[in-house]
Amino acid sequence: MDADRARGDTGVVTLIERESQLGSLLQYAAEARDSAGRLVLISGEAGVGKSSLVEELQHGLPDAIWAWGACDGLFTPRPLAPLHDIAREIGGDLLEMVSGAASRDEIFDAVLRCVGAVEDLAVLVIEDVQWADDATLDLLRFLGRRVRNLPVLFLVTFRDDALAPTDPLRVVLGELAGQRSTRRIDLPPLTAAGVRRLAEGTAYSPEELHALTGGNPFYVVEVLSNAGTAVPASARDAVLARIATLEEPARTTLDVAALDGLRVDAPLVARATGAALETFDELLATGLLLSDGDALRFRHELSRRAVQSEVPPHRRVAGHRALLEALDEVHCDDVARMAYHAEGASEAELVRRYAPFAAEQAAALGAHREAAAQYERVLRFAPEDPRELAELYDGYAEALTYVDSWPQSAEARERAIKIWRDLDDAAAEARDHRKLCSVYWRLCRGPESVAEIRRAIELLEPRGDDTELAYAYSIEAYNLWLSDPDAAVDMLRRAHEMAVRCGDPIVLSDVLNNVAGGELAERRDWTGPMLEALRLALENNAEGQAGRAYANTYTFYIRQFRFAEGERFWRDGIAYCDERDITTFSTCLRGHRAIALMDMGRWDDAVAMAQRVLDTEASPVNLLTSQVTLGLIRARRGDDGAFEVLDAAVDAAEGVDEADWVTLTRLARAEARWLAGDDDGAIEDLRLIRPRITAREYDEDARLSVWEQRLLGAATPASPAPGPWATSLVGNHAAAAVHWERLGCPYNAALSLYDAGDEEHLREALTRFEALGAGACTRRTRQRMKDLGLRAVPNGARATTRQHPLGLTTREGEVLLLLCEGLTNDEIAARLVVSIRTVDHHVSAVLTKLGVGSRGAAAARARSLGLAAATT
């Protein structure tokens, strides 16, 4: 009997309480067979029967091409370990690639070609992805985005009972859930009735058995398979009961096998233990091991762990050493596996031999967490040679930068710098000072960051190293831009000349990225150098530089409210960074996406995006945009918790000590204070921003000036304001509102109408704030209307508005219907006998409430929701 299976009178094995899940899988297989590929995420606790379900599906799809792979939770895995399993089954070019020196992109493309070439149906299975390495998670992302038009059923199983909130798999699952080809199947434990069916004909009480096992099929079967009649004290005891009957040779063999993983390499274990092949027959007969194609495996990971837990420490060390020697004899090329056993055997020299290679291999495949884990492993057996030790700290620090683990990266880089200084290696020390500069900046340690880059330049200039100096000058130019712009321009020019002279496209990409930032600061077109930086990074597989270029391109576009132009870089950038586990820049992209969604009036989406970032262990600087987004939306809605996140953001931004971050966070808190009725507190925040602003921070200056005008009645801008800010500052608030509408920023438009201050515009501002759900803003607007002595100030949305599924007023519903007919604003005004200006306001309110950016999109959404006929 297996997991959640039972054998009927006919001898046919069937699954218990899994009929609906199996039916869904068969349906998804039929859809995939018609080239509508499906990625199916199958989740449940350990032992609930995920593998049994997939095996049962295999019986129902005998004509499909199947390939299986599994992740192993025993040690820091070999990158793409399950793909190695799949490649051995498929063979051909894929096997050559994963066994050779192919890049990750080449390997992923080969997988896609393999499944796309299948005429009928290909089924790929990857089990236990809760243990997946970063490169395997990237493979899931890659295939999840591309299977929809292929004849492939991609089955992914994972345990969902022990995932930490920050587990990388949670992020991947969230991304995959948004793909049209993704489906989800959750396997619950068996009910009491299901356990009763399994217990029929035994001496066990079904109720007691269900209470003991919690309905976990694996534990139910283990208890039922126990030779005794009494229910054991725990289900784990039932697993161990099988072991107790083994003779010494078989027990030793099983113990060593448990140290090597779920899958059992019988020839290797036999070589390590001296066991005869008959020993494995004995283990198979007990049910502790099962046949798995040409190999063996433990019945379940729970079984393997139970066995491993019983291995005494001295025998564990001996077992690892025996496996290590056996692997060396067969010339094993899995250096991650060798490093794991070397550590288990306390063989320091061998850990130092294998773990660095394993780290480099993982980093090359984009498995940066595994690379960091391998560096951690070798650093536990730190070499005596100081140069070798410094190189290890450098590698560890670099791996951590990709996964947003900046405090640990700082510590590793600081240790490396001390060693390089002691070795009098100025070149290596300078390089690490330059890299530590970025680490400190991401930790919001601005002054220390500046000191690091200047120390790097001090060490580099006498040496004349064009490559390193180009990097360093590019960074220092950014620091100088505000205090000494002429020096900044000159330094950036020198950095560009050096980057061209050294001929390194990656250095040139980095410098051009900063050149684009300089062009933006000078109000010139920045897209040329930025897109060239992105092109160079992509063409040369410089993942970090490409991630940075994508993030800055999108950031610059949304800073200028050019949302439509930036959309491609958001879409391509997040896919690129997610598929390569470049967490630092994917988090940066998501934070700025949250800002953009907030500006576009998509507040629910913005909150979800911001909360996702804040639920991670991102660097402090990467949290700022999400803290501002969440805090502002809470404040505008009148929800609790706004100051909790905004105060933290202000404190962190002060640590960065840069005007743009200080302005972003303090202006957000000033707005929240104003909405809460604390005008004095808001003014204090404005007062603390002003001394930091120079003419080159024209965006920050404009935002601050408008708030000074709103709260103080006058503003003293340091430079001419751009766009609608300038219109507001000359007092033409209604025109500014129109400008904001055209940019797609409904909240800013409503705020400009509020600033206009007359009855007509205040009433329109109130309508728009209500449409956005900005409760605090509506209260502030109503109070101002009352203070002005206006009559018939509405207390809230009308009943008809609340009853409409999208909160449209009766008039807005009429306008939507006419939009669906394709009428222009002039035609709508004539039909409804109102002014064109009134129609403009109604159309803007409709677009805001429907969360769309155009009239055509509003009409399409109305039709899709069946509202076109319901708006009259």
Side-chain angles (χ1 to χ4, degrees):
M1 199 180 299
D2 186 15
D4 46 357
R5 297 168 181 252
R7 190 176 298 275
D9 295 337
T10 63
V12 176
V13 175
T14 59
L15 290 175
I16 289 179
E17 297 185 337
R18 297 293 183 257
E19 294 82 2
S20 65
Q21 292 89 346
L22 183 59
S24 294
L25 285 176
L26 289 169
Q27 176 188 333
Y28 302 150
E31 293 167 353
R33 207 184 288 272
D34 291 334
S35 294
R38 294 289 179 259
L39 166 61
V40 186
L41 305 171
I42 305 173
S43 63
E45 65 184 43
V48 81
K50 300 180 291 293
S51 297
S52 297
L53 178 67
V54 178
E55 289 165 1
E56 187 73 6
L57 177 68
Q58 187 173 23
H59 294 316
L61 299 173
D63 298 329
I65 303 298
W66 284 74
W68 295 66
C71 305
D72 198 324
L74 186 57
F75 56 89
T76 303
R78 180 184 199 174
L80 297 174
L83 191 54
H84 283 262
D85 297 337
I86 290 171
R88 280 192 289 270
E89 294 192 25
I90 294 176
D93 292 343
L94 182 59
L95 181 59
E96 293 179 10
M97 284 191 169
V98 299
S99 302
S103 71
R104 183 186 54 187
D105 290 349
E106 292 171 332
I107 292 171
F108 287 6
D109 287 340
V111 175
L112 211 58
R113 286 196 303 273
C114 284
V115 297
V118 173
E119 293 183 0
D120 186 27
L121 175 66
V123 184
L124 296 185
V125 183
I126 297 184
E127 297 190 272
D128 292 321
V129 296
Q130 72 275 1
W131 294 318
D133 62 279
D134 284 347
T136 298
L137 294 179
D138 293 344
L139 176 64
L140 300 189
R141 293 182 173 107
F142 178 87
L143 292 178
R145 296 176 187 271
R146 294 167 176 83
V147 298
R148 51 187 282 188
N149 296 319
L150 296 175
V152 58
L153 182 64
F154 187 19
L155 306 178
V156 176
T157 74
F158 64 97
R159 288 170 47 181
D160 60 357
D161 55 340
L163 290 180
T166 57
D167 193 294
L169 178 58
R170 285 195 184 275
V171 177
V172 175
L173 294 175
E175 295 162 10
L176 294 176
Q179 300 298 319
R180 288 174 54 188
S181 57
T182 301
R183 301 293 183 269
R184 179 79 178 257
I185 292 178
D186 298 312
L187 292 185
L190 298 178
T191 65
V195 173
R196 185 175 297 107
R197 287 177 61 188
L198 284 173
E200 287 177 358
T202 72
Y204 294 106
S205 161
E207 291 75 18
E208 190 175 357
L209 186 57
H210 185 266
L212 171 69
T213 63
N216 183 289
F218 175 78
Y219 283 135
V220 171
V221 171
E222 284 300 317
V223 172
L224 293 176
S225 301
N226 196 21
T229 57
V231 176
S234 72
R236 178 176 171 276
D237 291 338
V239 177
L240 296 176
R242 297 185 184 221
I243 303 173
T245 63
L246 293 175
E247 298 293 334
E248 179 58 29
R251 176 61 188 269
T252 299
T253 302
L254 187 68
D255 288 349
V256 172
L259 296 175
D260 197 42
L262 182 67
R263 295 183 179 240
V264 178
D265 184 341
L268 181 77
V269 175
R271 181 186 289 268
T273 62
L277 291 179
E278 290 77 10
T279 304
F280 294 96
D281 294 333
E282 182 181 349
L283 295 175
L284 283 166
T286 64
L288 291 162
L289 299 183
L290 297 175
S291 294
D292 185 14
D294 296 333
L296 303 176
R297 66 174 173 85
F298 280 88
R299 286 192 67 235
H300 198 281
E301 173 64 13
L302 294 170
S303 299
R304 189 203 63 77
R305 291 192 175 194
V307 173
Q308 184 189 31
S309 69
E310 294 297 301
V311 181
H314 66 284
R315 294 184 64 177
R316 190 173 299 185
V317 171
H320 280 295
R321 184 171 291 115
L323 285 165
L324 187 62
E325 292 171 357
L327 287 166
D328 185 56
E329 290 172 5
V330 299
H331 307 292
C332 175
D333 63 351
D334 187 346
V335 287
R337 189 178 181 189
M338 299 288 281
Y340 158 72
H341 287 303
E343 182 176 27
S346 297
E347 293 286 352
E349 189 60 37
L350 294 179
V351 173
R352 292 194 286 268
R353 178 192 302 176
Y354 293 121
F357 283 113
E360 292 171 9
Q361 182 186 77
L365 291 171
H368 301 294
R369 295 179 202 279
E370 284 63 43
Q374 293 293 358
Y375 281 119
E376 288 172 359
R377 169 172 282 142
V378 69
L379 287 169
R380 289 194 288 270
F381 297 84
E384 294 181 1
D385 178 17
R387 182 170 295 275
E388 182 182 351
L389 180 59
E391 289 171 351
L392 290 172
Y393 277 126
D394 278 341
Y396 182 41
E398 193 71 17
L400 290 167
T401 63
Y402 282 91
V403 296
D404 236 358
S405 295
W406 298 97
Q408 302 94 314
S409 181
E411 182 181 357
R413 197 70 76 180
E414 288 163 354
R415 291 187 178 187
I417 286 173
K418 183 178 184 304
I419 297 172
W420 292 127
R421 185 181 300 123
D422 291 344
L423 291 172
D424 197 26
D425 190 331
E429 183 187 348
R431 179 200 62 223
D432 278 9
H433 279 298
R434 171 179 66 81
K435 294 194 172 188
L436 187 57
C437 159
S438 298
V439 177
Y440 280 161
W441 182 82
R442 292 198 169 274
L443 290 170
C444 296
R445 296 163 63 178
E448 292 170 273
S449 172
V450 172
E452 287 299 315
I453 197 61
R454 290 177 180 169
R455 174 58 178 158
I457 292 172
E458 181 183 337
L459 290 169
L460 286 168
E461 284 184 330
R463 303 181 58 83
D465 184 333
D466 278 357
T467 298
E468 278 297 320
L469 271 174
Y471 276 127
Y473 281 163
S474 178
I475 296 170
E476 177 62 359
Y478 175 83
N479 295 330
L480 290 172
W481 208 270
L482 304 178
S483 60
D484 191 347
D486 292 336
V489 170
D490 180 64
M491 188 162 285
L492 204 53
R493 176 188 57 76
R494 294 164 63 192
H496 186 261
E497 290 173 354
M498 290 176 176
V500 172
R501 190 161 57 238
C502 76
D504 187 330
I506 300 174
V507 178
L508 184 56
S509 173
D510 184 84
V511 172
L512 285 172
N513 200 313
N514 286 345
V515 168
E519 295 297 284
L520 179 67
E522 292 296 321
R523 306 193 193 209
R524 295 193 289 260
D525 180 22
W526 53 269
T527 57
M530 183 64 82
L531 296 183
E532 179 64 8
L534 178 59
R535 183 189 68 79
L536 288 169
L538 291 173
E539 288 183 358
N540 291 278
N541 296 317
E543 294 182 352
Q545 288 297 342
R548 178 173 180 247
Y550 271 126
N552 282 346
T553 302
Y554 184 63
T555 299
F556 290 2
Y557 272 124
I558 67 165
R559 173 174 172 155
Q560 297 179 324
F561 305 103
R562 297 160 67 181
F563 302 120
E565 293 172 88
E567 194 66 19
R568 173 168 68 90
F569 297 96
W570 153 253
R571 184 182 63 250
D572 294 349
I574 201 65
Y576 183 91
C577 293
D578 280 346
E579 288 180 1
R580 290 159 179 79
D581 196 37
I582 310 175
T583 310
T584 292
F585 293 115
S586 64
T587 303
C588 179
L589 276 163
R590 286 191 170 90
H592 286 282
R593 179 65 169 180
I595 290 278
L597 291 169
M598 176 179 66
D599 285 343
M600 290 188 287
R602 296 168 55 183
W603 288 2
D604 288 341
D605 293 336
V607 167
M609 185 69 71
Q611 194 61 63
R612 175 174 177 176
V613 170
L614 296 176
D615 286 341
T616 68
E617 296 179 355
S619 62
V621 79
N622 259 355
L623 297 177
L624 290 175
T625 47
S626 294
Q627 288 170 324
V628 165
T629 299
L630 188 60
L632 274 178
I633 293 176
R634 285 177 177 175
R636 291 169 182 176
R637 286 174 166 172
D639 294 340
D640 294 334
F643 293 105
E644 175 185 344
V645 287
L646 290 176
D647 288 347
V650 167
D651 290 344
E654 288 294 331
V656 181
D657 196 30
E658 293 176 2
D660 52 350
W661 291 112
V662 171
T663 303
L664 175 71
T665 55
R666 284 198 178 274
L667 273 185
R669 191 169 70 178
E671 179 180 338
R673 285 174 164 173
W674 174 70
L675 289 170
D678 180 11
D679 288 13
D680 290 341
I683 291 169
E684 176 64 13
D685 270 321
L686 303 186
R687 186 186 65 78
L688 291 171
I689 298 170
R690 177 51 69 188
R692 298 173 182 263
I693 299 295
T694 69
R696 279 179 169 76
E697 283 119 358
Y698 54 90
D699 266 344
E700 290 75 18
D701 184 29
R703 295 166 191 261
L704 174 61
S705 296
V706 168
W707 272 100
E708 287 173 333
Q709 182 185 66
R710 186 173 293 132
L711 271 68
L712 300 172
T716 55
S719 62
W725 307 113
T727 311
S728 281
L729 288 172
V730 297
N732 196 347
H733 301 295
V738 173
H739 197 159
W740 283 122
E741 289 171 15
R742 291 172 181 166
L743 290 173
C745 300
Y747 180 78
N748 284 340
L751 207 53
S752 293
L753 292 170
Y754 172 92
D755 289 337
D758 60 274
E759 180 174 359
E760 179 185 0
H761 290 112
L762 284 172
R763 291 189 184 279
E764 182 58 30
L766 187 60
T767 298
R768 297 191 186 198
F769 285 140
E770 287 177 342
L772 285 164
C777 302
T778 60
R779 287 192 292 273
R780 181 102 199 188
T781 306
R782 288 192 192 101
Q783 186 58 51
R784 186 176 187 188
M785 295 170 74
K786 292 175 182 177
D787 291 344
L788 291 171
L790 300 181
R791 298 182 178 181
V793 176
N795 291 320
R798 297 176 181 176
T800 53
T801 301
R802 292 193 298 268
Q803 291 167 4
H804 192 281
L806 290 174
L808 300 185
T809 65
T810 300
R811 179 64 86 184
E812 289 164 357
E814 293 172 342
V815 169
L816 178 58
L817 180 61
L818 297 175
L819 288 177
C820 292
E821 294 181 16
L823 272 63
T824 66
N825 282 15
D826 289 352
E827 292 168 334
I828 294 173
R831 181 80 63 87
L832 298 178
V833 194
V834 295
S835 70
I836 295 175
R837 182 175 180 181
T838 298
V839 173
D840 290 341
H841 289 324
H842 286 316
V843 170
S844 178
V846 167
L847 298 184
T848 297
K849 291 181 180 180
L850 268 64
V852 296
S854 69
R855 303 157 63 88
R861 181 150 190 234
R863 293 188 188 100
S864 70
L865 296 174
L867 295 177
T871 52
T872 56

